[in-house]
Amino acid sequence: DTEVTQTPKHLVMGMTNKKSLKCEQHMGHRAMYWYKQKAKKPPELMFVYSYEKLSINESVPSRFSPECPNSSLLNLHLHALQPEDSALYLCASSQSGGVDLTETQYFGPGTRLLVL
Amino acid sequence: AQSVTQLGSHVSVSEGALVLLRCNYSSSVPPYLFWYVQYPNQGLQLLLKYTTGATLVKGINGFEAEFKKSETSFHLTKPSAHMSDAAEYFCAVSDNYGQNFVFGPGTRLSVLP
């Protein structure tokens, strides 16, 4: 299995809602990533988990809360988002457990989020 | 810190023509360089990657790129464009410590029949 899967594909939420994005991989990768991608822009790194521990947090607002329950699963909990948070949220994984951003990253298809 | 520029936010080529997508980087340490492709409504996929050694790197789908240190460039080429190559292409750079990674702004490739 060489896939990174993400659910849901699309999500519409109000500013007072709480929702979660889910990412799963079964490649035995030990590093997992969340990216945010606005339209016609490159992905921006949000978080990196290494061996299920948060290793990099790129100054992301606390209304985004990541969680890595096990080595195959990565969640992004959303609460009190703003309309400007509307974007494509991409999950990725890479093989090594150390934070090594020289490694090839394998991306999921993303969750397209709209905040009303 | 690393940075990447991609000349041309949009490039159009005819089917069968040469594809050339430009990437220039800035890095104070030896870089690792990547090209990723993003098809519409999909995630990103690695096309090719330069680490060390041979400066001409061959990737998937007939793409290749050449690392030119003197020009701080890593341009992506394909001899003959196919309709299925239409996508967004991102150049990216990491330092050799693996602690920093940044994407360039992207180039959208259109292939005309």
Side-chain angles (χ1 to χ4, degrees):
Chain A
D1 187 351
T2 58
E3 268 194 341
V4 176
T5 59
Q6 290 187 244
T7 54
K9 287 187 177 180
H10 301 274
L11 179 62
V12 180
M13 60 186 290
M15 289 189 284
T16 58
N17 292 158
K18 285 185 181 181
K19 297 286 185 183
S20 296
L21 310 184
K22 179 180 172 181
C23 172
E24 204 161 359
Q25 58 86 15
H26 296 287
M27 295 180 279
H29 289 176
R30 301 312 302 268
M32 297 185 77
Y33 311 74
W34 280 116
Y35 285 86
K36 174 182 179 180
Q37 186 179 25
K38 301 283 278 184
K40 301 189 187 304
K41 296 290 186 184
E44 297 175 1
L45 186 63
M46 300 174 72
F47 303 105
V48 179
Y49 271 82
S50 170
Y51 288 113
E52 296 127 60
K53 290 188 178 359
L54 184 62
S55 298
I56 294 179
N57 177 343
E58 294 286 7
S59 304
V60 179
S62 59
R63 57 185 184 269
F64 295 91
S65 175
E67 178 197 18
C68 191
N70 60 57
S71 60
S72 300
L73 189 55
L74 184 66
N75 297 320
L76 186 62
H77 303 298
L78 314 172
H79 174 53
L81 293 194
Q82 304 296 309
E84 59 264 29
D85 297 321
S86 299
L88 180 68
Y89 288 84
L90 293 163
C91 173
S93 69
S94 65
Q95 187 168 16
S96 171
V99 178
D100 184 355
L101 298 172
T102 66
E103 288 203 321
T104 299
Q105 296 177 48
Y106 295 81
F107 285 81
T111 292
R112 195 164 296 280
L113 174 67
L114 177 62
V115 182
L116 300 176
Chain B
Q2 285 70 40
S3 67
V4 180
T5 56
Q6 293 183 239
L7 186 62
S9 59
H10 183 205
V11 170
S12 291
V13 299
S14 298
E15 191 174 18
L18 172 72
V19 175
L20 170 61
L21 303 182
R22 297 180 188 275
C23 171
N24 288 88
Y25 68 92
S26 171
S27 178
S28 56
V29 297
Y32 280 51
L33 294 158
F34 309 77
W35 276 101
Y36 281 87
V37 61
Q38 186 174 31
Y39 298 103
N41 300 313
Q42 294 189 27
L44 284 75
Q45 179 184 14
L46 182 72
L47 279 177
L48 48 80
K49 173 180 170 181
Y50 169 79
T51 55
T52 57
T55 56
L56 183 63
V57 181
K58 294 188 184 300
I60 61 171
N61 301 340
F63 285 94
E64 63 182 37
E66 187 171 11
F67 171 60
K68 292 187 176 180
K69 184 178 178 181
S70 61
E71 299 178 8
T72 61
S73 69
F74 190 57
H75 302 330
L76 183 71
T77 60
K78 181 175 180 177
S80 175
H82 193 271
M83 297 296 287
S84 59
D85 295 326
E88 189 84 21
Y89 290 79
F90 294 99
C91 183
V93 64
S94 172
D95 65 35
N96 61 345
Y97 304 113
Q99 297 300 302
N100 293 288
F101 179 85
V102 64
F103 282 104
T107 296
R108 182 163 60 94
L109 175 66
S110 297
V111 181
L112 309 174

